[in-house]
Amino acid sequence: MNKFTNIVIAGLGSLALVGCAGTGLESAKDQTPSGSEFSKNLYDGYLGLSEGEYAEYDFADSDVFAQKASLASEGSAVTPDEISDRDLPEDKVSVLSSSRERLMAAMAAGAASKSPQNAATAQVMFDCWMQEQEENRQPDDIAACQAAFSDAIAKAEADLDEPKAVAAAPEPAPEPATKSWVLYFGFDSANLSDGEASKIDEIVKYAKSSDAKVSLTGHTDRAGADDYNEMLSSERTKAVAKAIGDQGLGIDEVKQVSLGENDPAVATVDDVKEPLNRRVVVKVSNN
């Protein structure tokens, strides 16, 4: 349960904390979001979290998310949870702290205006990750929130790196830049989930439109033996290559590299099951 449920949240203006009754959701639903595109996307995201927690009878967290949705609907400033707001497992504080710093850096660089949907999704999914990690009961839900945050923040950061050009006289289309995707896997699995498999269409479409080269780099977390993890990372790249081939892209043209537990996205000690390290990085480049 969020620590905010026991106190009045500072800065909520006229909105008082509803408490653990689960009554905040209906109030939030009745509001019509206004303000920026970012605020409207925050409203939708937090409302969805509130509905999900309500369905699981976690009325306290449902109310917390409902209040954030209500604030966002008014265009008020809504910030992601502070690390101290949740009673987190000690071994998860570091990765959550660095992820929040990454999110706040993107916001400071203008992500809310330059990439409103991705920035809002990143913030909502960070709070989702925090809430699920505090409960620490549903590893699949924790991994899903964490993966959704990572995907959204990467897209927001990419939009910051590639500002949209202002309207001008038509110019020749630039050569396509290198783009990358990260596909995540379950523990000890080389099977693509439906959510991750949906990225294949986007990858193949981009590769075909730019006549680009595709490379796959497979990774695992540090749970298990080194040789097994090298084999598992290879199976993951093969699974992605097959999915790409099934969409009409020649597998022979796809470069595959398997790194096992080397080069982790999140540094851990040995034998740690870290969802963000169980991945295949897909890069599409015309270079």
Side-chain angles (χ1 to χ4, degrees):
M1 183 181 294
N2 192 293
K3 295 179 182 178
F4 289 166
T5 58
N6 297 319
I7 60 174
V8 176
I9 301 176
L12 290 185
S14 61
L15 282 175
L17 185 63
V18 178
C20 297
T23 56
L25 177 57
E26 290 305 316
S27 175
K29 281 182 176 180
D30 289 340
Q31 294 180 272
T32 300
S34 59
S36 67
E37 184 178 352
F38 173 70
S39 293
K40 293 175 182 177
N41 279 299
L42 276 186
Y43 169 79
D44 290 337
Y46 280 124
L47 191 65
L49 290 186
S50 179
E51 290 173 332
E53 293 308 307
Y54 191 94
E56 294 181 354
Y57 304 102
D58 184 353
F59 301 130
D61 278 315
S62 176
D63 280 345
V64 169
F65 292 135
Q67 287 194 2
K68 287 196 169 188
S70 295
L71 284 171
S73 76
E74 299 172 353
S76 299
V78 182
T79 57
D81 281 353
E82 298 281 355
I83 299 301
S84 59
D85 291 339
R86 296 279 182 179
D87 186 13
L88 301 167
E90 195 170 315
D91 63 336
K92 299 300 180 182
V93 170
S94 177
V95 65
L96 281 160
S97 295
S98 61
S99 296
R100 191 181 192 280
E101 289 172 4
R102 181 181 177 187
L103 174 61
M104 298 310 293
M107 294 301 190
S113 59
K114 295 179 181 178
S115 187
Q117 182 172 354
N118 292 320
T121 299
Q123 176 169 326
V124 170
M125 287 299 101
F126 176 80
D127 280 357
C128 172
W129 180 12
M130 287 275 285
Q131 185 267 331
E132 293 292 347
Q133 192 67 78
E134 180 183 47
E135 291 184 345
N136 208 26
R137 295 195 310 265
Q138 299 169 298
D140 289 345
D141 289 354
I142 294 170
C145 294
Q146 186 176 6
F149 163 77
S150 297
D151 185 63
I153 193 63
K155 290 178 178 177
E157 289 168 340
D159 286 343
L160 292 175
D161 292 338
E162 300 174 7
K164 295 177 174 60
V166 296
E171 296 180 359
E175 289 295 316
T178 298
K179 291 190 67 174
S180 62
W181 293 258
V182 181
L183 283 69
Y184 294 95
F185 290 79
F187 177 69
D188 197 26
S189 173
N191 297 322
L192 279 168
S193 67
D194 290 343
E196 298 303 282
S198 65
K199 299 177 184 177
I200 297 296
D201 288 342
E202 183 181 350
I203 293 168
V204 172
K205 181 178 179 181
Y206 184 79
K208 286 182 176 180
S209 68
S210 60
D211 193 24
K213 298 176 183 178
V214 180
S215 67
L216 311 177
T217 305
H219 302 265
T220 67
D221 57 26
R222 298 197 65 191
D226 291 356
D227 55 351
Y228 179 80
N229 283 336
E230 185 173 349
M231 178 275 293
L232 180 58
S233 67
S234 176
E235 292 300 313
R236 287 172 175 167
T237 60
K238 290 176 182 177
V240 176
K242 182 181 183 303
I244 288 174
D246 289 344
Q247 294 293 329
L249 201 65
I251 297 181
D252 293 340
E253 302 173 6
V254 177
K255 179 181 178 182
Q256 300 181 47
V257 177
S258 302
L259 296 182
E261 61 184 53
N262 296 312
D263 194 23
V266 178
T268 70
V269 297
D270 201 17
D271 292 327
V272 171
K273 300 176 182 179
E274 173 51 59
L276 287 185
N277 291 338
R278 304 193 291 262
R279 70 203 193 280
V280 169
V281 178
V282 182
K283 290 188 177 180
V284 182
S285 172
N286 67 334
N287 297 328

